């Protein structure tokens, strides 16, 4: 067994242990990097430490700290209040606004799980108020986060742009963002329409069964009468789990008004800070991590009470996971293992086929592990594929980006787990089954679809 194969098997083992236990795969990968690097590859400890992704670490810390402050000081509540006021009694606007809100947060640099953690509790609650399936709303929110995930200032986008730069197409970073945004927007519409249609059909069947079993009872227009077109509270267990309870499915005339959230000076300054982040990074070219830390520090100076809860609520486990995996990948590259993998893929003799295989690999791995970590692992392998003159670099990278992120709805991933955490306790088992089935469908269909669109047809 070759040294490179042993090194890759150790990485797979770290992913496996992290997926099926509570042990952080990034912590295991960090320790393994020193073990494999020094004992097997003959590297010095200093060389292994040198593979730590300091730039990515600052991006993760800065972005997650900033958006922890956004959540804690009530700015996200203000945005949700504005969204509900804007929606009024127009039910269809609710999922659209939640999609756009999540996409905006991710586009501004919020780590995808952070954006979902911020919006999901608000979005699912709003969905129940409007009689929208919580599952449909959850899928829309995840797709919104994925839509903004490959902006140049998001950690996903940073890794995607690294692949583009390695393939000599650094100027196509906005194309990558735009293609991922549009694809996820279309997928959000499909998910919403499909789930809502299924729930409406199940509600109708449940209502028919109920009417058949109690045909002698007439509706006298009392308190137990179902609201017109709404889901009855006795509409069956399956329907009740997937849709809002009857008491939340109210007509436009009786739905309670949203609770007012004040636009305090601190919240307005926070919104200005988020806008400044986009300007500093996209217009002035300032490093995302540095810009996020500067804005976060200013907000903390203005209101020091947010510092402790913001730091404590940061996803340190995710940060350790991502940086640990990327450190190990850096060690693999340093010892030449990735070069052997690249040569093996090149041996296929068909870059298009290699891109398809890579798309399925990242989809499967990301369903059980960190998408950021997966992108970090696959990045050096994708760059030579994207450089094939018969393919477009942005097309190959877009296919990989979408394939790796579209399965984030899996309940074994952070995003899917956050949806389950935001759902009502009685819905947890349903959410787990439904999200797992959706993730399996995404693994089966999306890699082939995006490969055909962006690699074979060469869109981009």
């Amino acid at each position: 067994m070759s040294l490179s194969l042993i090194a890759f098997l150790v990485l797979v083992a770290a992913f496996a242990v992290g997926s099926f236990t509570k042990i952080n795969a990034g912590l295991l990968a960090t320790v393994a990097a020193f073990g494999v690097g020094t004992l097997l590859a003959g590297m010095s400890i200093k060389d292994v430490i040198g593979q730590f992704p300091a730039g990515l670490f600052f991006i993760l810390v800065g972005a997650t700290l900033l958006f922890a402050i956004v959540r804690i000081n009530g700015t996200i509540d203000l945005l949700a209040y504005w969204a509900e006021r804007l929606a009024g009694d127009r039910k269809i606007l609710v999922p659209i606004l939640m999609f756009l809100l999540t996409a905006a947060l991710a586009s501004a640099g919020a780590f995808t799980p952070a954006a979902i953690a911020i919006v999901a509790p608000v979005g699912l609650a709003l969905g129940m108020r409007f009689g929208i399936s919580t599952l449909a709303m959850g899928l829309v929110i995840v797709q919104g986060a994925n839509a903004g995930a490959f902006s140049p200032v998001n950690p996903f986008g940073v890794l995607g742009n690294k692949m583009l730069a390695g393939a000599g197409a650094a100027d196509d970073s906005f194309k990558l963002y735009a293609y991922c945004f549009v694809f996820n927007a279309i997928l959000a519409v499909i998910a919403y329409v499909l789930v809502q249609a299924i729930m409406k059909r199940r509600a109708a069947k449940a209502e028919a069964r109920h009417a058949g079993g109690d045909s002698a009872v007439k509706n006298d227009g009392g308190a137990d009468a179902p609201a017109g077109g709404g889901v009855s509270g006795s509409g069956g267990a399956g329907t009740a789990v997937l849709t809002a309870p009857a008491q939340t499915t109210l007509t436009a005339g009786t739905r309670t008004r949203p609770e007012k959230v004040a636009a305090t000076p601190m919240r307005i300054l926070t919104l200005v800070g988020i806008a400044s982040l986009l300007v500093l990074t996209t217009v002035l070219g300032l490093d995302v991590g540095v810009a996020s830390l500067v804005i976060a520090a200013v907000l903390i100076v203005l209101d020091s009470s947010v510092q402790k809860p913001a730091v404590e609520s940061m996803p340190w486990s995710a940060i350790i996971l991502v940086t640990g995996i990327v450190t190990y990948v850096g060690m693999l590259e340093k010892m030449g293992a990735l070069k052997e993998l690249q040569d093996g893929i090149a041996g296929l003799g068909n870059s298009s086929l290699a891109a398809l295989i890579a798309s399925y690999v990242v989809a499967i791995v990301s369903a059980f592990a960190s998408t950021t970590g997966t992108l970090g692992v696959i990045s050096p392998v994708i760059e030579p594929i994207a450089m094939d003159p018969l393919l477009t670099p942005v097309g190959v990278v877009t296919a990989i980006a979408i394939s790796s992120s579209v399965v984030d709805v899996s309940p074994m991933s952070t995003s899917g787990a956050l949806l389950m955490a935001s759902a009502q306790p009685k819905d947890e088992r349903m959410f787990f089954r439904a999200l797992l089935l959706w993730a399996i469908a995404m693994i089966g269909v999306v890699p082939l679809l995006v490969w055909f669109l962006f690699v074979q047809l060469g869109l981009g």
Side-chain angles (χ1 to χ4, degrees):
M1 184 179 294
S2 69
L3 180 60
S4 295
L5 181 57
I6 293 175
F8 277 114
L9 290 177
V10 170
L11 179 60
V12 171
F15 269 116
V17 173
S19 299
F20 297 105
T21 72
K22 294 182 179 181
I23 301 174
N24 191 299
L27 178 61
L28 294 177
T30 302
V31 175
F34 286 100
V36 174
T38 58
L39 299 179
L40 298 182
M43 298 169 58
S44 67
I45 291 180
K46 184 177 180 180
D47 286 338
V48 177
I49 292 176
Q51 307 311 311
F52 180 81
L56 181 59
F57 173 79
F58 279 109
I59 291 173
L60 294 175
V61 170
T64 54
L65 176 61
L66 175 58
F67 285 93
I69 295 172
V70 171
R71 177 180 58 82
I72 290 168
N73 68 14
T75 303
I76 188 62
D77 296 325
L78 176 63
L79 293 174
Y81 169 68
W82 286 347
E84 190 170 4
R85 286 290 302 272
L86 182 61
D89 295 318
R90 292 163 292 188
K91 174 179 175 179
I92 191 59
L93 281 183
V94 176
I96 294 175
L97 291 172
M98 290 300 101
F99 174 91
L100 292 176
L101 176 57
T102 319
L105 291 173
S107 297
F111 201 37
T112 301
I116 294 172
I118 290 170
V119 178
V122 178
L124 267 60
L126 282 179
M128 292 184 67
R129 287 171 61 83
F130 282 83
I132 298 173
S133 163
T134 52
L135 176 60
M137 184 64 77
L139 291 175
V140 166
I141 289 171
V142 172
Q143 296 312 135
N146 288 339
F150 287 91
S151 84
V153 299
N154 189 283
F156 283 15
V158 171
L159 291 172
N161 290 333
K162 180 182 177 183
M163 285 188 273
L164 285 176
D171 293 338
D172 287 338
S173 61
F174 181 77
K175 286 185 178 181
L176 172 64
Y177 170 55
Y179 294 155
C180 291
F181 193 102
V182 171
F183 186 91
N184 281 285
I186 294 173
L187 189 56
V189 172
I190 294 173
Y192 180 82
V193 172
L194 180 62
V195 173
Q196 283 291 90
I198 293 173
M199 294 305 102
K200 184 176 181 180
R201 182 180 303 175
R202 294 181 66 176
K205 289 182 179 179
E207 187 175 350
R209 286 197 302 269
H210 175 67
D214 194 21
S215 58
V217 179
K218 302 296 183 182
N219 178 14
D220 61 1
D224 292 332
V231 179
S232 171
S234 56
T239 301
V241 167
L242 292 172
T243 58
Q247 62 265 30
T248 62
T249 311
L250 305 177
T251 59
T254 60
R255 186 173 62 82
T256 57
R257 298 182 65 182
E259 184 178 348
K260 184 176 181 180
V261 179
T264 63
M266 194 63 204
R267 290 168 182 165
I268 297 300
L269 286 173
T270 302
L271 293 175
V272 172
I274 295 174
S276 301
L277 177 64
L278 293 175
V279 174
L280 290 173
T281 54
T282 60
V283 178
L284 302 181
L286 189 64
D287 180 81
V288 178
V290 174
S292 298
L293 285 172
V294 168
I295 295 170
V298 171
L299 294 176
I300 289 173
V301 168
L302 295 174
D303 181 10
S304 60
S305 66
V306 302
Q307 176 180 290
K308 188 174 187 295
V311 172
E312 291 178 348
S313 65
M314 288 172 61
W316 291 107
S317 179
I319 293 172
I320 292 173
L321 171 65
V322 173
T323 54
I325 293 295
V326 176
T327 298
Y328 192 91
V329 172
M331 185 276 299
L332 288 177
E333 189 168 18
K334 184 77 173 179
M335 66 180 287
L338 290 181
K339 183 64 169 59
E340 291 187 25
L341 179 60
Q342 293 169 4
D343 293 341
I345 292 178
L348 293 173
N350 188 323
S351 295
S352 179
L353 177 61
L356 177 61
I357 293 174
S359 296
Y360 271 106
V361 168
V362 295
I364 295 171
V365 173
S366 293
F368 298 92
S370 161
T371 300
T372 316
T374 304
L375 288 173
V377 171
I378 204 69
S379 176
V381 179
I382 295 303
E383 291 172 7
I385 298 175
M387 293 176 67
D388 190 316
L390 298 178
L391 306 177
T392 59
V394 69
V396 174
V397 175
T398 299
I400 296 299
I402 294 175
S403 297
S404 64
S405 59
V406 78
V407 297
D408 281 356
V409 74
S410 163
M412 274 79 77
S413 72
T414 305
S415 298
L418 286 170
L419 279 188
M420 293 181 61
S422 300
Q424 296 184 19
K426 66 184 179 66
D427 294 350
E428 286 182 359
R429 291 185 64 187
M430 176 281 295
F431 259 63
F432 183 88
R433 292 194 299 269
L435 295 178
L436 182 59
L437 288 174
W438 183 265
I440 292 173
M442 294 299 97
I443 292 173
V445 174
V446 171
L448 180 62
L449 176 61
V450 295
W451 170 79
F452 179 74
L453 291 175
F454 297 102
V455 179
Q456 284 294 93
L457 297 184
L459 294 182

